Amino acid sequence: MATTTQDSSLDATQAALLAKVQPAELHEQPLVTNDRDFNWVTDKICRIVETKTPTWWWICMAVALMTASFTGLGLLWLVSSGVGVWGLANPINWGWAIVNFVFWIGIGHAGTLISAVLCLLKQGWRTSINRAAEAMTIFAVVCAGIFPLFHVGRVWFAWWLFPIPNSNVIWPQFRSPLEWDVFAVSTYGTVSVLFWYMGMIPDLGVLRDRAVQRLKAGAYEGSNAMAKKMAEGMDIFRKNFYAIFAMGWRNAGNHWRNYEMAYLVLAGLSTPLVLSVHTIVSFDFALAVLPGWHTTIFPPYFVAGAIFSGFGMVLTLMLPLRALYSLHDLITQRHIDNMCKICLGTGSIVGYAYIMEFFIAWYGANPYESFAFINRAFGQYWWAYIMMFSCNVFTPQLFWFKKVRENTALVWIMSIFINVGMWFERFVITVTSLANDFLPSSWGYYSPTMVDILTFFGTFGLFSVLFLLFLRFLPLMPIAEVKFVMPQADPHGHHGHEKGDHH
Amino acid sequence: MSEKYGIIASFPDTPSFFHAAEKVRDAGYKKWDTYSSFPVHGMPAAQGQSRSKVPIFTFFGGITGFCLGLGMVWYMNAFNYPLIIRGQPFFSPVFPFPIMYELTILLSAFGTLGGMFITNLLPQHYNPLFNSDTFLEVAGDRLVIAIEARDGKYDTVATRRFLEEIGGTDIEEVSA
């Protein structure tokens, strides 16, 4: 639009100049490819939840439930015998539980970044991935919450963390960063759910209306009367289930006006929130007077790492989904490119932070600090440091190459490396700083027990169970937002440029 | 209450829908709305609507959250049961800042969602528009303008002719 007004106001010299330099026409890659229409988008996304449950879903669900049972058993074992069944031993009193907590919370950050920060930055490409990424955030927070909750030891006293007087009428004390963390994480979980839910209301309305349409038409296909009855019954369930949560949404212009404002405000609220959450998580470490933890670089370094790991997880989840549901027209190469580039950017920040930590350890001339860092890279946990450094610093650098970004299988494998690397980063930070503390007589070597390993392994099952349920019952992509970025939605009729808008 | 809820008309594409909305606004109708399965850029202005009131709810939510955080920390740690921890002050506006910050965001978010529901008059259990099969297609790609019978300018014949003139198709009356 801006270019057209400029064109008309060009004077002769400018026109001559433009004719001379012959500016290249830049085409923005379309966000929905193959010139699809609105109905195609609605159908594509709604049919994921409306058609018969695919066999692979049941298989994945069975595997996920079995995996999740490891967490259940691990926690049962822990609660019935005590935190001693974990590998914690003085001086390493923060082991896998904290590592896993920070790992999962970090994963969640990409969801909020996509839904909030990219919304404020008007990045249209966020639309097709933001719903799934927000779901990922919420499920990751659920997995994260388990660890500190059970790490308190007597989980039945976990309510002491909340601002209600405990059995001795003592309040929580707010001078501890751990208490700030309770507020940060619970606010983060709650606001993420609110944002996710509000974004879903119009799409739930669509699913409701489609169920009503099918019930009115009444034409159910099926091999026998039983199958038809089942299909009809499912639609009655859908009509009522989605109607409750859609709250009577009817796509009115007035609804959209308030909804869009609320969406923008929530994006504006979630942006400082997501930055604060991992900042406060990093305070858990940074406020301790322990070499290796006590550094001012932690808040930005943790936030960058969180976004890095989160985008890794988004790629891990979305690439298989794209193939399974043939979503290639909605999650295009442009989306993958952009996600890879964010991994590259944040991965480079993380790499810079690793190196800067070393520089400061040397430049600060504090012998304890220098020891902590030399020990981190060359001490007894050198293998963890190598894992961290190679996965987080070298892997994303491959995303500079277009050939790599276009190789979906390779991108997927690299996204797994990112996840692994980021887990090791938290392990390195937590364990190496504790294992070799101020008193060499108490130095130890930390190893997790089977209970540690199974509890953590099981959270992937729990995450998958929740994500599979999301796939089956809720719209995977925000239908309204995807339509909004399509050229047909332009009220000023720039429909003709099928390649998308000009810049 | 009249027998009829109003008249609905459909429009073939977003530009014609958008311009039709401007014409309905200019014709002086008040009780009407546009219906599309996606937000149309600039539609509030085309409908002659003012800026959304949702941020007011956000603001009051945020103020409540901030004061709650500040008051809570003071009451619990400095007034009701002061605990001596590492010689730190019982109260200061600095250390509880993360608490105030998070509660501000939390209650602002609840205010925003609640404000969206209140300004949209949701949840709503029943709306006559859903009786129309044509209207249900808004969920797909149909673009609809509905003028309600309770509008002062509403007239069954004249309004129908007006909707035809501005390019509306599939015009039908919806019963209340």
Side-chain angles (χ1 to χ4, degrees):
Chain A
M1 281 159 277
T3 44
T4 43
T5 47
Q6 275 170 9
D7 284 344
S8 56
S9 63
L10 281 181
D11 62 29
T13 35
Q14 280 173 316
L17 194 64
L18 278 177
K20 193 176 166 194
V21 296
Q22 293 175 330
E25 188 93 348
L26 281 181
H27 287 294
E28 193 179 337
Q29 292 298 312
L31 290 164
V32 179
T33 49
N34 282 335
D35 208 17
R36 301 296 189 178
D37 62 11
F38 289 150
N39 275 331
W40 183 86
V41 174
T42 317
D43 264 356
K44 187 80 199 169
I45 299 168
C46 291
R47 288 186 70 78
I48 294 174
V49 297
E50 286 168 349
T51 46
K52 196 168 165 291
T53 313
T55 318
W56 65 260
W57 190 90
W58 288 111
I59 297 168
C60 290
M61 192 63 170
V63 174
L65 276 172
M66 279 191 281
T67 316
S69 69
F70 287 127
T71 297
L73 287 173
L75 295 177
L76 194 70
W77 196 341
L78 176 89
V79 171
S80 51
S81 31
V83 182
V85 298
W86 282 351
L88 302 172
N90 224 10
I92 305 130
N93 287 314
W94 270 15
W96 272 37
I98 300 301
V99 176
N100 301 340
F101 163 69
V102 183
F103 171 77
W104 276 117
I105 281 284
I107 285 190
H109 278 51
T112 321
L113 187 94
I114 292 170
S115 57
V117 181
L118 297 186
C119 172
L120 294 183
L121 298 176
K122 298 218 182 292
Q123 295 294 306
W125 62 275
R126 62 181 269 287
T127 53
S128 63
I129 49 170
N130 81 356
R131 175 74 42 75
E134 282 174 43
M136 176 192 83
T137 296
I138 293 160
F139 306 149
V141 172
V142 169
C143 293
I146 291 173
F147 292 100
L149 191 68
F150 282 86
H151 198 265
V152 298
R154 300 174 194 177
V155 68
W156 52 96
F157 289 139
W159 60 275
W160 286 10
L161 293 166
F162 289 99
I164 32 182
N166 68 25
S167 37
N168 298 321
V169 212
I170 303 174
W171 301 95
Q173 74 95 1
F174 293 98
R175 280 156 285 184
S176 162
L178 297 178
E179 185 63 23
W180 304 345
D181 217 8
V182 173
F183 276 78
V185 173
S186 52
T187 300
Y188 185 49
T190 314
V191 174
S192 298
V193 170
L194 294 184
F195 200 8
W196 188 54
Y197 169 60
M198 202 193 76
M200 222 155 19
I201 291 173
D203 297 344
L204 296 174
V206 168
L207 285 167
R208 170 201 63 197
D209 293 349
R210 284 168 63 93
V212 172
Q213 278 176 321
R214 281 193 304 274
L215 284 168
K216 277 190 172 180
Y220 285 95
E221 286 171 24
S223 46
N224 53 43
M226 184 69 183
K228 282 182 193 171
K229 263 273 171 284
M230 276 288 285
E232 194 176 353
M234 276 308 289
D235 269 342
I236 293 172
F237 162 75
R238 285 191 194 106
K239 182 184 115 181
N240 292 309
F241 174 76
Y242 295 124
I244 289 169
F245 290 101
M247 295 267 182
W249 178 269
R250 59 176 191 281
N251 292 315
N254 188 42
H255 284 181
W256 286 118
R257 176 177 67 117
N258 295 313
Y259 169 92
E260 286 221 286
M261 178 59 83
Y263 199 97
L264 188 67
V265 169
L266 279 180
L269 290 170
S270 301
T271 302
L273 176 64
V274 69
L275 298 179
S276 80
V277 173
H278 231 58
T279 300
I280 292 176
V281 169
S282 82
F283 285 169
D284 293 349
F285 299 94
L287 265 70
V289 191
L290 190 70
W293 284 8
H294 190 63
T295 63
T296 47
I297 202 175
F298 261 21
Y301 158 28
F302 267 52
V303 171
I307 292 164
F308 178 56
S309 68
F311 269 93
M313 195 58 146
V314 173
L315 284 169
T316 312
L317 291 171
M318 293 315 274
L319 294 180
L321 283 181
R322 178 180 186 243
L324 277 169
Y325 289 120
S326 315
L327 299 168
H328 299 78
D329 287 338
L330 294 167
I331 304 171
T332 63
Q333 184 57 41
R334 180 177 165 196
H335 293 89
I336 299 174
D337 271 352
N338 285 349
M339 287 191 271
C340 290
K341 286 173 189 168
I342 290 186
C343 283
L344 172 60
T346 48
S348 303
I349 297 176
V350 168
Y352 169 81
Y354 293 162
I355 297 162
M356 187 48 75
E357 274 188 327
F358 266 85
F359 172 74
I360 293 295
W362 168 75
Y363 192 66
N366 178 331
Y368 301 100
E369 190 80 9
S370 313
F371 168 75
F373 279 92
I374 290 169
N375 184 49
R376 196 174 266 187
F378 305 106
Q380 52 190 351
Y381 296 106
W382 61 271
W383 50 272
Y385 195 85
I386 298 263
M387 280 293 282
M388 168 189 101
F389 208 87
S390 51
C391 289
N392 294 348
V393 183
F394 298 133
T395 310
Q397 297 306 320
L398 290 174
F399 287 142
W400 283 105
F401 305 103
K402 199 171 181 207
K403 276 258 170 344
V404 175
R405 296 197 304 265
E406 281 175 354
N407 186 337
T408 318
L410 185 59
V411 171
W412 191 77
I413 292 168
M414 285 164 69
S415 76
I416 301 281
F417 277 135
I418 292 173
N419 289 322
V420 172
M422 283 309 290
W423 188 87
F424 273 96
E425 179 199 296
R426 280 64 176 251
F427 179 84
V428 165
I429 292 172
T430 309
V431 175
T432 62
S433 306
L434 287 170
N436 305 94
D437 68 346
F438 302 101
L439 279 178
S441 61
S442 66
W443 286 5
Y445 189 82
Y446 167 83
S447 320
T449 62
M450 213 40 166
V451 184
D452 274 308
I453 296 168
L454 291 182
T455 309
F456 175 55
F457 183 60
T459 51
F460 287 98
L462 175 64
F463 180 84
S464 309
V465 167
L466 295 170
F467 202 82
L468 286 165
L469 286 173
F470 159 70
L471 280 184
R472 198 64 211 113
F473 291 102
L474 296 172
L476 173 64
M477 291 180 184
I479 307 170
E481 288 181 47
V482 171
K483 287 179 180 173
F484 182 74
V485 298
M486 290 164 69
Q488 294 96 311
D490 186 350
H492 304 293
H494 285 202
H495 193 164
H497 311 301
E498 276 163 15
K499 296 269 192 238
D501 275 344
H502 290 260
H503 279 258
Chain B
M1 248 184 78
S2 68
E3 289 270 308
K4 294 290 170 197
Y5 172 80
I7 298 183
I8 63 171
S10 307
F11 294 85
D13 52 27
T14 318
S16 66
F17 175 58
F18 184 80
H19 296 306
E22 289 175 325
K23 285 172 192 152
V24 180
R25 172 197 66 192
D26 295 341
Y29 286 97
K30 296 286 175 234
K31 304 286 180 201
W32 67 285
D33 218 331
T34 59
Y35 298 87
S36 56
S37 61
F38 56 93
V40 178
H41 189 75
M43 193 51 115
Q47 281 185 250
Q49 292 168 328
S50 58
R51 191 182 144 89
S52 168
K53 301 282 185 292
V54 169
I56 298 170
F57 295 88
T58 312
F59 178 76
F60 284 105
I63 292 282
T64 314
F66 187 86
C67 297
L68 186 72
L70 194 70
M72 186 174 79
V73 174
W74 170 80
Y75 176 78
M76 291 177 187
N77 278 189
F79 180 77
N80 185 259
Y81 201 132
L83 285 172
I84 298 169
I85 309 279
R86 293 179 289 194
Q88 289 169 338
F90 293 123
F91 184 73
S92 133
V94 179
F95 73 77
F97 188 76
I99 308 286
M100 282 137 57
Y101 186 92
E102 300 300 336
L103 283 178
T104 306
I105 290 177
L106 181 69
L107 295 201
S108 301
F110 273 107
T112 310
L113 183 70
M116 194 278 283
F117 281 132
I118 292 167
T119 51
N120 278 342
L121 304 176
L122 295 177
Q124 191 174 46
H125 179 247
Y126 171 76
N127 193 289
L129 284 172
F130 287 112
N131 294 332
S132 159
D133 288 344
T134 319
F135 183 79
L136 284 175
E137 286 171 18
V138 169
D141 64 350
R142 196 175 274 277
L143 303 163
V144 164
I145 289 182
I147 300 181
E148 295 177 29
R150 63 197 170 107
D151 189 289
K153 268 183 65 90
Y154 182 87
D155 176 273
T156 316
V157 182
T159 304
R160 177 183 278 268
R161 195 179 313 126
F162 169 71
L163 284 170
E164 271 168 13
E165 274 167 20
I166 61 173
T169 52
D170 300 338
I171 297 175
E172 69 175 58
E173 277 192 60
V174 179
S175 48

